[in-house]
Amino acid sequence: MTTIFRQGTACISLLILMGCQTTPKTDIKPVQKPPAPCWLQSPVSQNQVGFIGTAAPLSATQYGSIIASRQRALTSLITHYKLPLIELETNKVTHIASKITLNNGKEVYFSEPYSTADTLYSYASTTPIKTNEQCNEIQCNFVQCQPSWLCQGTQNSVIGVSYYTAFSHQKLPMSAQNAKTLAGYLAQARVNMNEQLSESFKIDDQADKQHAFKLSRQGDVTASKFENQLLMTNSCNYGSTLFANYQFSEKVTPAMRTINWRDKQLFEGKSVVLGNFGENGTIAPDNLLSSAIKYAIRDALVELAKVKGVEVSSNSTLVQNNGRYYLSHAHYSIKQTVSGRLLDIQINYKDGLPNVYVWLLEER
C-alpha cells in the first residue's frame, strides 16, 4: 500500500555563521602563552570599538610591517563606517604617528604594534586607546560554553573559524572571510533534498530478532549572497584553531544564559533542531573544521525544512517465509526556503576526528 500526504509549507529567514581546518586532538590542550594586549582577543568593548590589522613580522622595506598592519586595520575601520577614499586615507599612515585625521575630520588612533613569531598586529580606533592592559590567551571551551558568546544564540552575530593559512598573518582575516561565507550560506537557505528511509524487522522460528535501518540523502542546500559588514568583537583559541565572534552592529549583545539544548525541542515557541557531522566517523573531504561545521549546519537546515513541510510516499511489505519478516520503505521530498538562529556549537573528538553538533532555532 502506498500513501502520499503533504504537511504545511512556509518560509523562514535566518542569520548565522563560520570557517577552517580540523585541529588534531593533541592540539586541544591549552598551551600557556605570555599575556598579550587585551584588544587582541577583545577588540570591541562597551567603551571602545576597534579594528585589528595583521602583517608578516618581517618586511623587505623598513617599517613595512607596521605600516601594512596599520593600513589594514584602518581599511577595516573605513569599510565598517562606510567612509570613502580608502586608498587616499591609508596613504596617511606612517610607522611614527599614533594618530591621523581623515578627510571628514574624524581622528583615528593606532596602538603600539604587538608581534609574535609569525604575525604583527596593529589596532585602530576612532577613540583614544587609553590602556595597554595585558590579558592571558582565552581558550574556547564548548562543553562549558566559555567564552559565553560561543553559545549566546543572538540574531546579530556569526562565528568565523580559521586554522593554519599559507601565511600565518592571514589567519585572522581568513576567519572574517569564512564568517561572511557561512553567514551568506545560512542567511537564507534553499533546501532541495530527497531522503530514502528503509527499515526491516524479522523474527524467525527460534524467536531470534533481526532489525536493520538505513537512511540515505540526496540533494543540496544552497545559500544566498551575504553583503553586510561584519565587526569582530571577540576571539578565542581551540588548540591551533581560531574562533572569532562577528556582529552586524556595534552594539555588544549580552550573552544568553547557558542552556542544555539536547533537552529542548521548543524555545520561545519555535522549533529547536540538532545538526551533526562526524558522529559516524565521517570526515570532511578537505579535512577542515569549517567544513565539518558547515555540514552540521546543512544537516540542521534539512531538519528545519522538514519541520516546515515534506511530501512523503511510503510502502510496506509483509513476508511470511520460515518466520515473520516486515519491510518498510519511505521516500521524503523536501523543498523549502528556511532560516534559523545558531544557538550552540559543541565539538568533541573521537579517535582524533571532530564530531560537530549544532543547534538551530527556527526563524519565521
Side-chain angles (χ1 to χ4, degrees), residues 209-270:
K209 298 180 180 180
Q210 298 178 20
H211 183 231
F213 179 90
K214 181 181 179 182
L215 174 66
S216 61
R217 178 180 289 172
Q218 291 182 325
D220 200 10
V221 180
T222 56
S224 59
K225 190 174 181 180
F226 186 78
E227 301 287 358
N228 293 13
Q229 296 299 320
L230 297 176
L231 174 67
M232 176 187 162
T233 60
N234 310 90
S235 68
C236 63
N237 294 289
Y238 188 65
S240 297
T241 301
L242 171 71
F243 279 74
N245 190 37
Y246 289 86
Q247 293 192 340
F248 304 107
S249 68
E250 290 182 26
K251 183 179 179 181
V252 179
T253 307
M256 177 184 286
R257 67 187 185 277
T258 301
I259 296 175
N260 183 0
W261 296 109
R262 291 178 181 272
D263 298 333
K264 290 280 186 179
Q265 293 183 329
L266 290 174
F267 183 71
E268 298 176 348
K270 293 176 285 189

Side-chain angles (χ1 to χ4, degrees), residues 100-245:
I100 64 170
T101 302
L102 304 181
N103 285 357
N104 65 355
K106 186 182 289 289
E107 293 182 328
V108 176
Y109 301 84
F110 296 103
S111 69
E112 288 297 314
Y114 171 73
S115 187
T116 65
D118 52 29
T119 304
L120 185 144
Y121 301 87
S122 288
Y123 181 65
S125 178
T126 56
T127 56
I129 301 168
K130 299 177 181 179
T131 178
N132 290 318
E133 184 181 358
Q134 303 284 298
C135 293
N136 290 323
E137 183 179 88
I138 301 171
Q139 295 291 328
C140 309
N141 187 323
F142 291 93
V143 176
Q144 297 182 8
C145 210
Q146 294 294 328
S148 57
W149 52 261
L150 283 174
C151 318
Q152 63 184 4
T154 59
Q155 292 176 294
N156 68 332
S157 68
V158 300
I159 298 175
V161 186
S162 184
Y163 191 58
Y164 293 123
T165 51
F167 300 98
S168 296
H169 66 275
Q170 295 175 340
K171 190 173 185 177
L172 186 60
M174 179 60 71
S175 74
Q177 179 179 324
N178 288 336
K180 193 165 186 177
T181 298
L182 287 175
Y185 187 85
L186 295 171
Q188 188 178 72
R190 294 184 178 181
V191 179
N192 187 356
M193 195 72 62
N194 290 297
E195 288 187 346
Q196 303 282 345
L197 175 63
S198 298
E199 184 177 19
S200 61
F201 187 75
K202 180 181 180 181
I203 303 178
D204 60 23
D205 292 336
Q206 285 73 42
D208 291 333
K209 298 180 180 180
Q210 298 178 20
H211 183 231
F213 179 90
K214 181 181 179 182
L215 174 66
S216 61
R217 178 180 289 172
Q218 291 182 325
D220 200 10
V221 180
T222 56
S224 59
K225 190 174 181 180
F226 186 78
E227 301 287 358
N228 293 13
Q229 296 299 320
L230 297 176
L231 174 67
M232 176 187 162
T233 60
N234 310 90
S235 68
C236 63
N237 294 289
Y238 188 65
S240 297
T241 301
L242 171 71
F243 279 74
N245 190 37

